[in-house]
Amino acid sequence: MSRRSIYGDLARYYDTIYSFKDYDFEATRLAVLIRRYKRSPGRRLLEVACGTGKHAKALSKRFEVTATDINPGMLAVARKNVPGVTFRRADMTKLDLGRKFDVITCLFSSIGYVKTHANLRKTLEGIARHLVPGGVAIIEPWFSRKAFHPGAPFAGTFGNGDLRIARVTMSRVRGLLSIIDMHYLVAHRGGSVRHFVDRHELALFEPDRFLAIMRAAGLKARFLTRGLMPDRGLYVGVREPEGRSR
């Protein structure tokens, strides 16, 4: 057994494990929300914490996409998945790309990895700075404390005849954080079975506090209970022109 990260050493298995996600469907849902809330005329979109680039690929059919991630392993996979999109390495808590966008997305609960309210504030302030007036940010959160149910084991299998992956997950809560240990058994055809453990720590942010931080960053914000995945919702924030009240 060894400790490895699905965002690093195990990045090549990420798309197999999350093959259930319908990125085109989610991009269509996002496009509807963007049309509803965006007030700027442009089509420049930034995806923060893009992972292996599957959302970026789907969104690039409608927008001019730039995408960032902090993990080199994920970016390496993303560049192979989506050769037509610009990918840059960036920490979402220190975002400084030197340009502004009409749309910024942060999806699949990646915002939970900032872990603290202080880092959430830095991240949302950075997102707001990178939006043009009238631009919109759409953020898919991790669970709130009420929606998260620690302690119950979850298990699943993924892959095909040449690659099979089994994952068993256990979770607990410590303060603001949900702590999730994912045990992977990975078997390739003709090879041995390897055991990895990957720990994830994501903050259980509450909507009222999240919205307050968005508004303090200069965004006209709301929480939508109907999101892309069950029980997570979506935050939508529009960058208002200077001098406008929130």
Side-chain angles (χ1 to χ4, degrees), residues 78-148:
R79 291 185 177 110
K80 292 179 181 178
N81 281 341
V82 199
V85 166
T86 299
F87 292 96
R88 296 179 59 177
R89 188 180 183 193
D91 181 340
M92 74 174 86
T93 67
K94 303 173 183 177
L95 202 61
D96 186 11
L97 301 179
R99 58 179 300 202
K100 294 181 183 291
F101 300 85
D102 300 279
V103 182
I104 299 178
T105 63
C106 184
L107 304 172
F108 207 4
S109 301
S110 300
I111 195 72
Y113 287 102
V114 302
K115 295 187 181 181
T116 68
H117 288 109
N119 281 339
L120 179 63
R121 184 174 298 107
K122 292 177 186 176
T123 302
L124 295 176
E125 289 172 350
I127 286 173
R129 284 195 306 271
H130 284 75
L131 280 174
V132 300
V136 62
I138 300 179
I139 302 168
E140 182 179 19
W142 181 236
F143 297 103
S144 65
R145 185 179 295 272
K146 181 179 179 181
F148 186 70

Side-chain angles (χ1 to χ4, degrees), residues 84 167 171 174 183 196 216 232-233:
R167 182 179 68 182
S171 63
R174 185 186 68 211
H183 292 253
F196 305 106
R232 303 194 195 189

